[in-house]
Structures are given as C-alpha cells and as structure tokens.
Amino acid sequence: MFWDKLKESYIRLFRRKLAGAGADALPQLAFLGLISGALTAGVILIFRYALEWPLAYFLPDQNAENFEGLPWLIRGALPLSGAVIIGLIWYKLQISQRKTGVAYVMERLGYHQGYITFRSALTQFFAGIVTIGSGQSAGREGPAIHLGAACASLLGQKMKLPNNSIRTLVGCGTAAAISSSFDTPIAGVIFAMEVVMMEYTIAGFIPVMLASVTATTLIRALDIHRPLFDNPITQMTTLWELPYIAALGLIIGCAAALFITILKIGARQSDKPIEWRLIIAGLITGCCAIVVPEVRRAP
C-alpha cells in the first residue's frame, strides 16, 4: 500500500514537471527521450527482420537483395500481387484509416497534438511489409518514421503525459527511426526538428538528440548493423569534369520536374477507387521490373 502511494505521488510529480515548458522539464524529457529511442530501435529491428527474413528465404542465393535473379515472369508478377493485396486491405479500411507515412505523422502532430493510435501502427507495419517486400515503388523511411513516432506517442499516452510532452516524444520517435534505420543520428535529429516538429528549442532538441543517439547505439551494440548503401569513393581529377557535372544537374532537375508533374496527374485521380489505382501502380512497377530489374531493390 505504501509503495503504491509512493509510486502514484512520483508519477503525479513527474507529470506536473512535464506540464511546464522550458528547462524545468528538461530532465524528465531527456529521460523520456532515452526510453523512446530504445523502444523505437526495437520496433525498427522487428520491422527490418520481418522484411528481410522472407526475402532471404525466397530470393535466389538466399540474398534479400537479389530481386534481379528471379525469372522475368516472377519479377513482373510480384509487384502486381503485392498491389492486389494492399488494394484489398485498403478497400476494407475506412478512408481515415488509410493514412500512413510521414504525412500522417505531420497531420497528427499539427492537428491532434501528436496522438497516434496503435491500430494505425499495426496497419503501417503490415502494409509496409507487403508493399516493400513485393517490390513496390516505396522506401522504408516512411513506415519507419510512422512506427517510431507511433511508438513514442503511445508511450506518452500510456503514461498520460501532457500534450506538449507527447509532441516532443513524436519528434524523438521520428529521429530514432531515421537514425536506427540508416545509421544517421545527426540526420535523424535534423529531419525531426525541421520537417516534423518545425521548431528548435532546448527542451525539444536535447531529448530528440538523446533518442537518436540511443537508437543508433543500440543497433550498433547488438552487432547487427550493416550499411544500407555502398558509397564509392569519388574525387574530381580534372576541371574538365565540371561541365559534365553541370549538365548532369540540369538533367536531374528536368527529371525531377517530370516526376512532380506525374505526381500531380496521379493526385487528380483521387476520386477513383483506391484498389484500382493500386493495381495499376503495381502493374506499371511490374512492367518496369521486367525490363530493368535493378529499379527494384529489396530493403
């Protein structure tokens, strides 16, 4: 009985400290940043293995990235089958339940004080596995950010913390997700502060930084980290390379403009049934995978 009352009084004091803004709540926010970073790292690990184990089993040479080693017919059918599965799932869900990724996290932070539901996290987890594992045109940074932010937000909700603390925890989960997925703790902090939270404060920066570093440290300590990308060493040997670099920049700029135009055209089709739009996207991806299999890289 005594210990229950002591615990309850400590929790009330903890919440009261967090209710105030500024440096007074910094020790408590720093502690929450450490916890949310560790939890996010665990969730990202589960998500990574749920993606890589099936791919390593089914793809040739037990290589989770050997998609181009598949026969051409399977390369084309895999994205289409994944799109059909996602289309059926999205057809059963309500429109409000279909939102996932970075845009969803920003919406919840901007209009709902960072409150993210457990159901949305489950939807993102399984939809992300099917989407990425089947070779759709999607990366895993969106699902990772959603899962990390949801993990931290649910921690704050479970502890019945004030809204300002839950908003900070969403930033912590975002930074931890980026850092644990790509081994980029600094980039995780910058992304969380500039893109998601859109503000720089001492009370927000320190817990976000601690969450990012904690997640990266745990991934490395478990000795399972490996670089996602092999970056070759590049150096300029002559000034005559500058015109080619400038020309490459123009080409990439034009390609980006074309990509944005295609996105706008696709956005105008939002009134069409979601399942048919997903199937068409899967069909296009499958055709591209048949012709150029390297465009689809497993996570």
Side-chain angles (χ1 to χ4, degrees):
M1 193 71 174
F2 170 76
W3 292 111
D4 292 339
K5 291 182 178 180
L6 182 63
K7 182 177 68 173
E8 184 64 28
S9 62
Y10 176 77
I11 292 176
R12 284 199 302 266
L13 178 62
F14 190 83
R15 293 170 183 161
R16 192 179 306 116
K17 286 285 187 179
L18 289 171
D24 292 340
L26 194 54
Q28 289 76 18
L29 288 173
F31 173 75
L32 291 173
L34 293 172
I35 299 300
S36 60
L39 291 177
T40 300
V43 172
I44 297 302
L45 282 179
I46 296 173
F47 182 70
R48 176 189 296 181
Y49 281 130
L51 277 171
E52 294 181 351
W53 280 350
L55 291 173
Y57 181 79
F58 287 108
L59 293 182
D61 302 326
Q62 295 185 341
N63 184 355
E65 296 188 1
N66 193 17
F67 180 78
E68 54 267 31
L70 293 171
W72 68 270
L73 185 59
I74 298 180
R75 291 202 308 264
L78 189 60
L80 179 59
S81 61
V84 171
I85 295 174
I86 294 297
L88 292 175
I89 296 175
W90 253 232
Y91 176 76
K92 294 294 184 179
L93 294 177
Q94 300 177 3
I95 296 179
S96 60
Q97 298 172 342
R98 298 172 182 171
K99 299 178 181 179
T100 57
V102 181
Y104 173 77
V105 173
M106 296 177 67
E107 177 191 342
R108 301 302 298 182
L109 192 63
Y111 298 102
H112 303 278
Q113 300 296 332
Y115 282 74
I116 302 176
T117 64
F118 180 72
R119 184 171 183 176
S120 76
L122 283 180
T123 301
Q124 174 65 94
F125 185 87
F126 291 107
I129 291 175
V130 176
T131 300
I132 302 173
S134 62
Q136 303 301 320
S137 179
R140 69 177 187 178
E141 63 278 356
I145 291 172
H146 187 154
L147 293 173
C151 183
S153 176
L154 290 170
L155 171 65
Q157 296 176 52
K158 184 68 176 178
M159 297 179 65
K160 298 180 180 180
L161 300 181
N163 293 340
N164 59 337
S165 300
I166 293 180
R167 291 174 58 88
T168 302
L169 283 178
V170 170
C172 293
T174 300
I178 292 291
S179 62
S180 59
S181 297
F182 303 102
D183 192 29
T184 53
I186 297 177
V189 173
I190 295 175
F191 183 89
M193 301 297 292
E194 290 193 355
V195 178
V196 177
M197 299 180 69
M198 293 186 290
E199 62 179 4
Y200 277 96
T201 61
I202 296 297
F205 178 77
I206 291 180
V208 168
M209 180 181 63
L210 289 174
S212 183
V213 173
T214 300
T216 304
T217 303
L218 284 177
I219 295 294
R220 294 179 178 178
L222 293 174
D223 198 25
I224 56 175
H225 170 73
R226 59 188 182 281
L228 290 174
F229 310 105
D230 294 326
N231 297 320
I233 299 176
T234 59
Q235 59 182 357
M236 190 171 60
T237 58
T238 174
L239 293 178
W240 288 107
E241 295 179 6
L242 290 177
Y244 295 98
I245 296 174
L248 181 62
L250 291 175
I251 294 173
I252 294 175
C254 294
L258 177 61
F259 179 72
I260 293 174
T261 302
I262 295 174
L263 285 180
K264 291 181 178 179
I265 295 175
R268 298 193 192 106
Q269 314 303 319
S270 58
D271 58 330
K272 304 297 190 300
I274 183 65
E275 60 273 15
W276 288 110
R277 285 185 281 149
L278 289 170
I279 291 174
I280 292 173
L283 182 61
I284 295 173
T285 305
C287 293
C288 293
I290 292 175
V291 180
V292 187
E294 291 82 4
V295 300
R296 191 282 186 193
R297 300 294 292 175

